[in-house]
Amino acid sequence: MMKLPEELEIAPGRTLALRELDPGDMLDLIEAGGTATAGAAASTWLSYAQMVCSVRAVNGVPVQMPVTKDEIRDLARRIGNDGIMLLQTFFFDADSPQDAVLDTAKN
């Protein structure tokens, strides 16, 4: 993962403010994920959720750190496909085998 910018413009008038998750945030994310963090897809789910939870504001409206899988999913929907595609450029190497899984997950 490369250093995150403070803000990304997805489209004119549509922005995401970002933050890097600290170790405590990651522990909270693992707890929120529950059963999604135990199994064959755990690594992919956590990587995707980490990317989603790095968003601290959408269009200037602050976003609290999600504490449940439903809240993570709701935030992902607020971010939208365009936002997720842009975030992926900061979180995942273009040659990563995880990219195919993430492309499937966002669709």
Side-chain angles (χ1 to χ4, degrees):
M1 176 176 77
M2 63 177 72
K3 183 161 175 44
L4 295 177
E6 288 186 27
E7 189 170 273
L8 292 175
E9 185 174 16
I10 301 170
R14 185 144 156 65
T15 60
L16 299 175
L18 306 177
R19 65 169 171 256
E20 296 213 21
L21 299 184
D22 65 29
D25 292 330
M26 286 304 296
L27 289 172
D28 291 341
L29 180 57
I30 291 166
E31 185 176 342
T35 58
T37 62
S43 177
T44 301
W45 189 92
L46 277 172
S47 295
Y48 198 82
Q50 179 183 10
M51 178 180 63
V52 168
C53 291
S54 71
V55 174
R56 65 179 171 86
V58 177
N59 298 329
V61 178
V63 173
Q64 290 186 357
M65 177 74 174
V67 295
T68 67
K69 285 191 289 188
D70 288 341
E71 289 177 0
I72 294 167
R73 183 178 48 246
D74 290 344
L75 177 55
R77 286 185 174 132
R78 285 184 61 198
I79 294 167
N81 285 335
D82 292 342
I84 293 295
M85 287 175 29
L86 187 55
L87 284 171
Q88 283 182 356
T89 64
F90 294 95
F91 281 83
F92 304 104
D93 180 15
D95 297 326
S96 169
Q98 217 171 21
D99 285 346
V101 175
L102 292 173
D103 286 341
T104 301
K106 73 173 183 225
N107 293 324

